[in-house]
Amino acid sequence: MNIETYRDAWGIPHLRAGDARELARAQGRVTAVDRAWQLEVERHRLQGTSASFLGSSAVTWDVFARRARLADTAGRCFEALEKRDPETADWVRAYVAGVNEGLATGAARTPEFARTGLAPGSWEPWHPLGIWLATHILFAGFPAKLWREEAIRHLGEEAVPLFATDGPGTAGSNGWLLAGSRTTTGHALLAGDPHRFIEAPGVYQQIRLSCPEFDVIGLAVPGVPGIAHFAHTGTVAWSITNAMADYQDLYRERLRRTPTGVQALGPDGTWSRAERHTETVEVAGEAPVRIEVIETERGPVIAGGPEDLVEEEAAEKPPEPEPAEADRTEQSDTAPMPTPAAGARPPQSLPGPARESGVPTAESPDTPLHEPVAADGARPPQGPPAPDHESRTGGAGGRTHAAGEAEALALRYPPRVTHDLGFGALLPLLRARRVADVDRAFDAWAEPVNVVHAADTAGGTLHRVAGRVPVRSRTNRIRLAPAWLPGHEWQGWHEMPYGDITDGVAVMANQRGPATPLGVEFAPPHRADRIRALLDERRTWSAAGLPVIHTDTHLASAAPLLDHLAALDGLTPAATGLRDRLLAWDRRMDADSTDAAGYAAVRTAVVRHLAAHPAFAALTETPAYPEVLLPWLALTPRIAFALEHLLRADELYGVDRPAVVRTAIEEVAADKPTGTWGDTHRLAPWRALPEPSYDGPGLSGDHDCVLCTSAVPGLTDLSARGPAARYVWDLAHRDDSLWVVPHGADGAPGAPHNTDQLPLWLKGDLAPVVTDWDRLERVDLTDTDTATDTDASEETDV
């Protein structure tokens, strides 16, 4: 086995092997040594077995993962990959072999295994595909369709654009491309930062993969071979942001139980047998949970159905048991713990910031109020209309129809239909030499749908969308589609659009752009506009100068609330003083700013008062959906991230907004914050096993700043989401590139490189990319000390 492992001053692995297959094996092995706990948590999450060692707090995710058929879908995708692309399938197998080789060493140096009694399991070839799927299943924000149904039911269709948000809040990112005409070297620069839940260990792994075919540095996803999202091959580099595309559907299903199983009513008016089996979710310290898994022709049932099908017919005659081979009880490969371990991961998506432009109003009769419009007022193509959008909803996805019938929700998502997760793009990306190679590789991309930037040393640039988005009715895109009516079927796939590079600059920040025809809700333009404005402040840029963009804290979305404050009169002296201070504020959400803290306190008070208004009372009732979907239905976050719309709308369901703002500033002035924004706006990373005594550092930024460290106004100032990495790729000289992650390269608590990058990340500094093998230290992965204890001091001055 011709594999060499090196580490730089930050403990980042640099791997060298004789061919791509051996290199994948080395990547799997070093990842298992560095991130064993993370890998095993993710493997159990995709299989729906994490409650077996994390306890009852993980049950809701495990049930969702099983009902959504994540593991089964990953297995089918790998089987299809073996037939379609055997080279890539063999490459994935090599990665898995490396993981299995390194897990014991990694587990021995990671205390979480001992704390939970978890023993490392054995990986199978489909597990990397499952990790990819489980990581991204909520990225398209399909639960937002549940919110729209509730909002329409209680407030009317005008509520959809009024409460429009950026959809999958965890998936937002910044990225920008500067062509050679805009740089000091004459070669392109790529830079940005993906915004996701900040986890410990981190969701991205800095790594270098080198063999005779290629030599690539970048940010990998632990558990997945290659480097998919952010990488530099030496002659070409690429990066992505979430395209905000809508490519998953929720179908309202009418189900009935029969003596032989469960049936679903199709659009042709006939009842067809649905697939059904039962599974058992083991729970540490508690009784196991038995669930029924049902799948219709549209997709897996994720809510309602099984628990709601105890109707008259079923009560009179209990259903006969399924054949033994269909009653597939999925067992965990670990024994349940005697006591539960707390710490469920937050959902992968939360309601995000509101979209500022392109909001139709009641005075726009030519625009259907349930259909968001583009920023320029033009409606994006939405697919063919459906004959009947069936606007009524049962709320919990379980409304009963006739005796023996109930309603449920089925999820339809592309990999379940196509058996393709896009892994065929991974090897071609590593082998890419020019932008054209990257472009061809992304033609095979599937999940999730991304906006791509790329540039090469020959002057080529690329700005495109990559992924798979179905063509279907407008109703499917906006809300729940009735499965028993025709017109809601998928009708092929959208062509992926390309974007422009204007004056040598392209900016992607989840705003409307080339992906407009593919999405419903996008991020407001604040981050994109701010990045473009900052880049235009000088004609040319160097790699070293770009981190100032990453860390900009200007909050453009503060304008509507400040405008309301400016219009108030007759305030108490204390409130007048606070109002005047906020109107003079520079609108920067800096951690050391007392004015930013004052603004945040007033904003929180406004959000809470609006959420408590009787006009929205019906939306405070918690629908009986699975817990994992409820964050999309929470009223307070919806109001918080739609605050711009709500404060600017001509009318808001009779709410006296000036009075709300007046009450809020008087309350805050009477109990004025004494600290700074960083005193309450603190980092709160997710850990599978939380640390009760953890007290995170203060943060600058906010959800509409370029420095996007998101809190949830009205609920908490703590930030669970932010830049999961920062990067600058220099096409003039790769060693002038820069990068950083929130914690460190090593996932083992207490290891020298577990949190050594956190001070850089907090300051906005980046570590240098080092590719000179003579500056790296060769290590033996069987020696955990030499694998982790290199000295970072010589590389700290950036």
Side-chain angles (χ1 to χ4, degrees):
M1 184 169 62
N2 183 22
I3 293 175
E4 298 174 342
T5 302
Y6 296 77
R7 293 187 189 269
D8 65 14
W10 300 94
I12 296 166
H14 294 243
L15 309 176
R16 191 157 60 180
D19 58 37
R21 191 182 188 282
E22 285 300 294
L23 190 57
R25 186 173 179 179
Q27 184 183 7
R29 187 182 179 207
V30 78
T31 304
V33 170
D34 289 357
R35 306 288 188 97
W37 170 251
Q38 181 180 26
L39 291 188
E40 285 294 84
V41 168
E42 295 303 320
R43 180 178 68 83
H44 279 282
R45 282 174 57 79
L46 80 90
Q47 295 178 141
T49 57
S50 61
S52 66
F53 61 98
L54 294 179
S56 59
S57 60
V59 168
T60 182
W61 169 265
D62 283 356
V63 171
F64 170 76
R66 290 166 181 260
R67 286 187 170 167
R69 310 299 307 277
L70 299 187
D72 184 77
T73 301
R76 296 184 186 195
C77 289
F78 186 77
E79 290 177 4
L81 183 66
E82 287 187 301
K83 297 174 183 177
R84 182 177 58 251
D85 187 352
E87 181 193 19
T88 296
D90 185 58
W91 178 71
V92 174
R93 286 183 181 276
Y95 180 89
V96 168
V99 170
N100 285 326
E101 289 171 3
L103 272 178
T105 299
R109 57 189 297 272
T110 309
E112 287 92 340
F113 285 91
R115 286 177 60 188
T116 60
L118 179 68
S122 178
W123 278 50
E124 297 183 29
W126 58 270
H127 285 153
L129 285 77
I131 286 177
W132 189 262
L133 177 60
T135 298
H136 297 108
I137 187 65
L138 295 177
F139 261 42
F142 70 82
K145 296 176 183 181
L146 303 176
W147 162 259
R148 295 186 198 123
E149 288 287 351
E150 292 295 303
I152 290 169
R153 182 156 68 102
H154 296 299
L155 299 176
E157 291 191 345
E158 68 274 11
V160 173
L162 189 64
F163 280 91
T165 68
D166 77 344
T170 62
S173 302
N174 299 320
W176 57 96
L177 180 156
L178 291 167
S181 60
R182 298 296 303 272
T183 72
T184 58
T185 65
H187 289 275
L189 293 168
L190 299 180
D193 51 346
H195 304 151
R196 300 175 57 149
F197 275 107
I198 304 299
E199 302 184 13
V203 298
Y204 284 115
Q205 173 194 30
Q206 298 155 298
I207 200 166
R208 181 186 183 186
L209 305 175
S210 180
C211 67
E213 281 190 276
F214 51 79
D215 185 341
V216 186
I217 61 163
L219 299 165
V221 174
V224 179
I227 305 174
H229 285 160
F230 310 93
H232 195 322
T233 74
T235 60
V236 66
W238 65 89
S239 59
I240 62 94
T241 63
N242 189 283
M244 313 305 290
D246 175 73
Y247 52 90
Q248 301 165 327
D249 283 349
L250 283 175
Y251 284 87
R252 293 165 54 208
E253 296 277 3
R254 287 173 62 178
L255 304 179
R256 69 182 185 187
R257 194 182 295 278
T258 71
T260 59
V262 174
Q263 294 181 335
L265 183 61
D268 59 356
T270 63
W271 291 89
S272 300
R273 182 169 179 174
E275 295 182 20
R276 172 200 171 275
H277 69 272
T278 59
E279 298 185 10
T280 298
V281 178
E282 299 290 345
V283 186
E286 298 187 13
V289 177
R290 188 81 165 174
I291 64 171
E292 190 173 23
V293 178
I294 294 175
E295 184 166 8
T296 74
E297 293 181 2
R298 269 66 57 189
V301 170
I302 62 167
E307 60 270 35
D308 294 322
L309 281 169
V310 185
E311 300 296 341
E312 294 179 12
E313 180 182 353
E316 293 170 3
K317 182 177 181 180
E320 297 177 3
E322 293 284 324
E325 64 270 19
D327 189 14
R328 296 182 297 149
T329 301
E330 299 290 337
Q331 299 290 342
S332 166
D333 63 1
T334 61
M337 290 176 55
T339 57
R345 180 188 228 149
Q348 290 295 305
S349 195
L350 288 172
R355 172 169 50 85
E356 179 180 24
S357 58
V359 181
T361 67
E363 286 70 42
S364 307
D366 59 330
T367 304
L369 292 176
H370 63 277
E371 179 183 325
V373 298
D376 59 2
R379 266 196 302 280
Q382 302 275 331
D388 184 350
H389 62 61
E390 287 282 310
S391 61
R392 60 196 173 91
T393 176
R399 183 179 68 250
T400 300
H401 289 268
E405 294 182 24
E407 195 168 300
L409 294 181
L411 173 64
R412 188 171 180 84
Y413 56 98
R416 189 68 185 163
V417 175
T418 65
H419 301 162
D420 182 15
L421 276 165
F423 269 46
L426 298 181
L427 271 173
L429 281 171
L430 294 176
R431 291 166 173 158
R433 294 294 179 268
R434 292 288 181 258
V435 158
D437 302 326
V438 173
D439 194 15
R440 283 191 297 270
F442 275 110
D443 285 341
W445 194 260
E447 170 89 8
V449 181
N450 291 324
V451 180
V452 180
H453 283 168
D456 61 34
T457 55
T461 56
L462 176 69
H463 183 195
R464 63 163 293 180
V465 182
R468 187 163 287 167
V469 180
V471 176
R472 71 276 205 221
S473 78
R474 185 174 299 120
T475 297
N476 292 49
R477 295 162 57 83
I478 304 298
R479 55 200 303 188
L480 311 184
W484 59 88
L485 293 178
H488 300 286
E489 301 83 2
W490 287 9
Q491 302 173 13
W493 306 96
H494 282 278
E495 291 290 329
M496 292 295 102
Y498 285 74
D500 295 326
I501 299 174
T502 305
D503 191 24
V505 176
V507 175
M508 49 186 187
N510 318 114
Q511 80 282 17
R512 291 188 178 272
T516 295
L518 309 176
V520 174
E521 297 179 6
F522 294 81
H526 304 307
R527 286 184 284 120
D529 289 349
R530 181 64 176 171
I531 292 169
R532 181 72 198 223
L534 291 170
L535 291 173
D536 285 345
E537 288 182 358
R538 67 174 81 160
R539 184 62 193 172
T540 59
W541 289 81
S542 67
L546 287 178
V548 70
I549 309 289
H550 289 120
T551 53
D552 185 79
T553 62
H554 185 266
L555 186 67
S557 62
L561 178 51
L562 295 178
D563 289 345
H564 271 274
L565 290 174
L568 295 179
D569 55 18
L571 295 171
T572 63
T576 298
L578 176 58
R579 187 269 312 271
D580 292 347
R581 211 181 86 206
L582 294 182
L583 293 179
W585 169 50
D586 61 8
R587 305 191 186 187
R588 292 187 175 276
M589 299 298 286
D590 294 329
D592 61 357
S593 171
T594 56
D595 290 342
Y599 169 78
V602 174
R603 179 179 62 182
T604 284
V606 169
V607 168
R608 288 176 176 170
H609 281 289
L610 288 176
H613 195 280
F616 305 120
L619 290 169
T620 64
E621 300 175 6
T622 304
Y625 287 117
E627 184 181 343
V628 72
L629 306 179
L630 295 184
W632 283 266
L633 291 149
L635 177 62
T636 297
R638 286 286 172 183
I639 287 177
F641 294 130
L643 191 59
E644 286 183 279
H645 294 189
L646 302 179
L647 292 178
R648 282 178 166 161
D650 291 338
E651 199 279 330
L652 187 67
Y653 307 106
V655 178
D656 186 344
R657 286 161 293 176
V660 168
V661 175
R662 179 185 298 275
T663 299
I665 195 166
E666 291 286 4
E667 287 180 356
V668 174
D671 188 17
K672 189 168 60 175
T674 58
T676 66
W677 176 226
D679 289 337
T680 59
H681 188 56
R682 309 183 75 82
L683 180 63
W686 179 81
R687 290 178 169 86
L689 291 179
E691 297 179 6
S693 62
Y694 176 82
D695 184 17
L699 300 176
S700 296
D702 199 24
H703 61 265
D704 281 330
C705 300
V706 178
L707 180 52
C708 185
T709 53
S710 292
V712 185
L715 290 181
T716 179
D717 287 344
L718 295 176
S719 178
R721 197 187 87 190
R726 298 189 186 104
Y727 62 91
V728 177
W729 299 145
D730 192 332
L731 273 301
H733 187 218
R734 189 166 63 168
D735 271 22
D736 287 337
S737 299
L738 302 162
W739 56 1
V740 75
V741 293
H743 299 297
D746 198 329
H753 300 298
N754 180 242
T755 59
D756 59 334
Q757 294 185 52
L758 179 59
L760 295 180
W761 185 83
L762 291 170
K763 289 169 57 182
D765 292 338
L766 285 79
V769 167
V770 178
T771 60
D772 183 349
W773 295 101
D774 292 336
R775 297 178 60 195
L776 306 174
E777 180 180 356
R778 187 168 179 175
V779 298
D780 179 357
L781 288 185
T782 62
D783 182 346
T784 58
D785 291 333
T786 59
T788 60
D789 289 355
T790 51
D791 180 11
S793 61
E794 68 180 65
E795 298 293 346
T796 57
D797 184 10
V798 298

